[in-house]
Amino acid sequence: MTFDQPIDRKGSHSVKWDMMEKIYGIPADTGLAMWVADMEFRPPACVQQAVGKMAAHGVYGYFGDDTACLDAIRWWMRTRHGWDVDAGAIFATHGLVNGFGICLDAFTAPGDGIVLMTPVYHAFARVIKAAGRTVVECRLKTVAGRHEMDFAGWDSQMTGRERLLVLCSPHNPGGRVWTADELQGVAAFCQRHDLLLISDEVHHDLVFPGQRHLAMPVVAPQIIDRLIMMTATTKTFNIAGAHTGNVIIPDAVLRLRFASRMMALGISPNAFGMQMATAAYSPEGAEWVDALMVYLDENRRVFDVGVNAIPGLASMPLEATYLAWVDFSGTGMDRAEFTGRVEQTAGIATNHGHTFGAGGETCLRFNIGAPRAQIVEAVRRLQQAFGDLQ
């Protein structure tokens, strides 16, 4: 396929396009939807064929015999990430937000502190609060225009009531690919404060040329007894609507606790999602992802060059993901003004930075996983909306 091909998603029950006017006041026929983290591309042909085969069969019963799916997951993790996974460690959940919620239920109690490195994916805080747990915000530093960890500062925040830390790797927003030293620092921090670690690595395949993602079990095997991994095909292959994720738990004791909560909650796999994941984790899927990242790399360049040319705006250099993090603090505008210019003047729907927690107040997140013409148009609109600064 060509990633340049525009696909009209309006009227397809797309939350990104069909809810834009209700939430932002931006009509879908004139606006640009750059908020929800799914892409404007069809998945690889192998995924489409798997869905077509199911549709042609015509019977959509309960899913069983997950051997092929588990084999595909294990092959992908071994060949793409150098990580050998035990089939018995893999649990299929209804997406990773669901998996995260089950983890909170299985491993923490109401009132426990859950540590987030903010700004970070907004769903974490939403689920933590809904579960009656306490969000503990450990703010990332911004050094030379990119996020860095601040273990010394975070050590002083710990009270002993914290039970679990969530690592977003690669990071969303901000697109950092954490180094081996940084990941070792996370492991040591969890050991010092007796924290379980959830490593959300859903973006681990969306890494730009010149960067290398390191899976936490590979770089820090010493914390296997306190580690819960979360991965999925959904972001990589643009099949988020399948609501299929993998919670991978190497430790047998933690695994039993998670399995018991899965059983108590009656969680079972989505047949379409399992078939799509099996097809995606294949040589054909790998070839597609490699081509995708080359395409997104140019989108990144076009977006950053255009946005950084606007006085007062700074797009954080992306190392991974298709989610650009733009800081508007240099404009001197308050949040209402710069957001209004982006939404009402430019007609672009984005994610508001303050929803990602402390450190995101002056930022907006833009989804650049779209045909290049849309990225060029977004840049043009932004330059026009902030034209009085130039």
Side-chain angles (χ1 to χ4, degrees), residues 137-220:
E137 293 187 308
C138 286
R139 184 169 172 171
L140 293 161
K141 297 188 296 184
T142 301
V143 179
R146 71 176 198 160
H147 287 143
E148 291 190 2
M149 297 180 181
D150 180 18
F151 296 113
W154 300 345
D155 279 334
S156 66
Q157 290 184 239
M158 297 298 102
T159 65
R161 294 189 294 272
E162 298 79 19
R163 174 63 179 148
L164 186 150
L165 179 145
V166 183
L167 171 69
C168 196
S169 178
H171 191 70
N172 166 26
R176 271 300 315 278
V177 174
W178 304 117
T179 66
D181 285 345
E182 287 169 322
L183 295 174
Q184 285 286 353
V186 171
F189 183 84
C190 289
Q191 290 175 314
R192 280 198 302 279
H193 300 287
D194 193 23
L195 301 172
L196 293 175
L197 173 62
I198 292 180
S199 188
D200 172 16
E201 304 192 8
V202 71
H203 293 280
H204 63 177
D205 295 309
L206 301 171
V207 175
F208 287 108
Q211 301 292 334
R212 183 186 173 209
H213 171 79
L214 299 171
M216 182 56 82
V218 175
V219 75

Side-chain angles (χ1 to χ4, degrees), residues 91-92 102 105-106 255-268:
F91 297 87
I102 299 171
D105 194 41
R255 196 183 299 174
L256 284 173
R257 289 175 62 182
F258 189 85
S260 70
R261 296 312 300 153
M262 289 271 289
M263 181 68 71
L265 293 169
I267 303 294
S268 58

Side-chain angles (χ1 to χ4, degrees), residues 58-386:
V59 178
Y60 313 117
Y62 292 112
F63 182 84
D65 187 6
D66 59 1
T67 304
C69 189
L70 294 177
D71 286 347
I73 294 168
R74 296 178 69 214
W75 175 82
W76 188 268
M77 298 307 165
R78 183 174 61 252
T79 58
R80 302 289 286 191
H81 299 287
W83 173 28
D84 287 319
V85 178
D86 179 357
I90 304 170
F91 297 87
T93 62
H94 292 294
L96 292 189
V97 175
N98 170 249
F100 177 60
I102 299 171
C103 286
L104 291 182
D105 194 41
F107 303 120
T108 69
D112 282 350
I114 311 299
V115 180
L116 299 179
M117 302 175 186
T118 63
V120 73
Y121 178 45
H122 43 73
F124 293 144
R126 184 179 73 239
V127 173
I128 291 166
K129 293 172 184 176
R133 277 63 169 170
T134 302
V135 175
V136 179
E137 293 187 308
C138 286
R139 184 169 172 171
L140 293 161
K141 297 188 296 184
T142 301
V143 179
R146 71 176 198 160
H147 287 143
E148 291 190 2
M149 297 180 181
D150 180 18
F151 296 113
W154 300 345
D155 279 334
S156 66
Q157 290 184 239
M158 297 298 102
T159 65
R161 294 189 294 272
E162 298 79 19
R163 174 63 179 148
L164 186 150
L165 179 145
V166 183
L167 171 69
C168 196
S169 178
H171 191 70
N172 166 26
R176 271 300 315 278
V177 174
W178 304 117
T179 66
D181 285 345
E182 287 169 322
L183 295 174
Q184 285 286 353
V186 171
F189 183 84
C190 289
Q191 290 175 314
R192 280 198 302 279
H193 300 287
D194 193 23
L195 301 172
L196 293 175
L197 173 62
I198 292 180
S199 188
D200 172 16
E201 304 192 8
V202 71
H203 293 280
H204 63 177
D205 295 309
L206 301 171
V207 175
F208 287 108
Q211 301 292 334
R212 183 186 173 209
H213 171 79
L214 299 171
M216 182 56 82
V218 175
V219 75
Q222 72 273 22
I223 61 161
I224 289 297
D225 62 342
R226 61 177 71 239
L227 178 63
I228 300 105
M229 293 286 292
M230 299 203 305
T231 72
T233 51
T234 49
K235 286 288 184 283
T236 303
F237 298 98
N238 202 34
I239 53 175
H243 281 285
T244 299
N246 311 313
V247 174
I248 304 175
I249 306 177
D251 180 73
V253 174
L254 295 179
R255 196 183 299 174
L256 284 173
R257 289 175 62 182
F258 189 85
S260 70
R261 296 312 300 153
M262 289 271 289
M263 181 68 71
L265 293 169
I267 303 294
S268 58
N270 173 334
F272 276 87
M274 297 293 277
Q275 296 279 20
M276 294 165 81
T278 304
Y281 278 158
S282 64
E284 184 177 342
E287 184 179 358
W288 184 89
V289 173
D290 291 341
L292 170 71
M293 293 316 299
V294 171
Y295 188 85
L296 290 178
D297 196 24
E298 180 62 11
N299 276 9
R300 170 183 67 160
R301 188 196 67 79
V302 169
F303 186 83
D304 283 355
V305 167
V307 168
N308 290 331
I310 303 171
L313 275 62
S315 182
M316 188 169 281
L318 273 183
E319 298 172 352
T321 83
Y322 49 80
L323 304 167
W325 187 239
V326 179
D327 187 355
F328 291 79
S329 61
T331 64
M333 300 175 186
D334 62 20
R335 188 168 78 218
E337 182 176 358
F338 70 73
T339 301
R341 289 195 184 207
V342 172
E343 293 177 359
Q344 276 70 60
T345 306
I348 302 173
T350 67
N351 290 104
H352 296 181
H354 72 278
T355 66
F356 294 80
E361 298 83 357
T362 63
C363 299
L364 296 174
R365 193 188 74 174
F366 292 75
N367 183 336
I368 62 168
R372 189 151 306 126
Q374 181 175 314
I375 308 307
V376 171
E377 174 62 10
V379 167
R380 185 194 69 78
R381 293 187 185 196
L382 290 170
Q383 290 178 341
Q384 185 176 55
F386 291 90

